[in-house]
Amino acid sequence: MRVLVVGQGAREHALCWKLKQSPLVHELYAAPGNAGIASVADCVQIGVADIVELADFAEKLKMDLTVVGPELPLTLGIVDEFQKRGLAIFGPTRLAAELEGSKVFSKDFMRKYDIPTAAAWTCNSVDEAKAALKQTKYPAVLKVDGLAAGKGVVIVESAREADEYLHMVFEEKKFGTAATRILVEEFLAGEEVSFIVVTDGKKALPLAPVKDYKKAFDGDTGPNTGGMGAHSPAVVLGASTAADIMSSVILPTLQGMEAEGRPYTGVLYAGLMLTANGPRVLEYNCRFGDPETQVQMLRLDDDLAEVCLRVARGNLGDLKALNFRKEAAACVVIAVDGYPDDFPKGQEVEFDPIADDSVVVFHAGVVKRGGKLVNQAGRVVSVCARAASLSEALAKVYEAAPKVRFEGARYRRDIGYRALEARKSGAWAVD
Ligand code: AMP
Ligand code: GLY
């Protein structure tokens, strides 16, 4: 099989790493890829938003399967473009990807199909937002409707903080057309968890449960980021909660999308808060998680190419579940100081050799320029490891992390520690 992966992050490096192990895959391409992906795939310099060019390339090479990483091409309709040309592609159509592309659409959808989520108000102006804020209490959550590269959500503690954000959105128009309307949402307390399935629109097979750490700094403090680390098992998510999420969130979402005439295939990612009243959806993503995928690919025992091809053909067939290694996997993201706000680009990145082959370093924003490896994004690498237990996987990751060196390298020192503590004390469920 000839396979193309669209994207350029550590998530896509992990997908390529896994696809490369498939006996079905004879040629692997990535667009545009990165320096790490170049060691397992041929990188083609086409941007992720250039969907017509990507389809031209896939058509010319008679690609048997295309797997899409990021949300942008999905919301732009890459799947529709490929399907129009009879090319097999893994991911939701443009209309289905609106579950991630528009927070207003997804909130209305959840209300219509009784999918548990936070109360929210759709607001088209500063005045409407202020009126909605009077009906909820602080902290409150403000979300721009469209895609905002993970920066469109803030938790505000006071009317003053809310005013600053509303000014930025409606007057400075910092998010452009992504923010012609916003949601004012009730704040939910609890533990956050990512529940991610592969689906053909009817059947949904969960990927390994994973806990993602979204805050920039230790102790879950600082601004939200794309994710600073992850581990699987999630520890926070037990089997009965997983079953509850499947029946109260995932299956009603698939049935609802079918009823809306937007049948959903590919990866469905529910970002959830486990509250005292049960799981509540914070958001949907229409794609694999980053860094969740890095640990999930380390644990996946099945052939990813086969699973994705079945989905692309619209039928998971007789597959009953995905299989995972009994081991644990962990990941720590090394970012450049300043991320998720302003950060320097072009810093030289050096890699000391790592002897342990259960440790894998997936490149995120690393490219080759003038014979040197340099960073081009805030999240630079994902250092990942697999081991018999979560504590061993974390120990391996933290031993390897200093071997990736660049100026301003920064990573959280506490990934997984709370999960290990909670497991000891029985505070969280154990999967
Ligand atoms: P979203 O893009 O909607 O998932 O929001 C980004 C992050 O903001 C989530 O991962 C949560 O950490 C946080 N968040 C979003 N909505 C809420 C909420 N209603 N209550 C508490 N935290 C939230
Ligand atoms: N790690 C969060 C995300 O992929 O959206």
Side-chain angles (χ1 to χ4, degrees), residues 103 141 143 153 185-188 192 214 224 282-283:
K103 290 200 190 280
V141 189
K143 302 183 169 185
V153 176
E185 190 168 294
E186 161 204 23
F187 176 85
L188 298 174
E192 220 176 316
K214 289 209 170 65
N224 268 319
L282 297 179
E283 64 162 346

Side-chain angles (χ1 to χ4, degrees), residues 12-13 16-18 20 27-29 35-42:
E12 288 77 18
H13 190 181
C16 286
W17 174 86
K18 182 68 186 163
K20 186 77 181 172
E27 281 178 44
L28 186 59
Y29 296 87
I37 294 175
S39 64
V40 281
D42 284 330

Side-chain angles (χ1 to χ4, degrees), residues 11 212 214 226-227 269 283 285 287-292:
R11 167 183 53 203
D212 171 33
K214 289 209 170 65
Y269 168 144
E283 64 162 346
N285 292 320
R287 49 166 176 84
F288 287 103
D290 186 350
E292 288 92 329

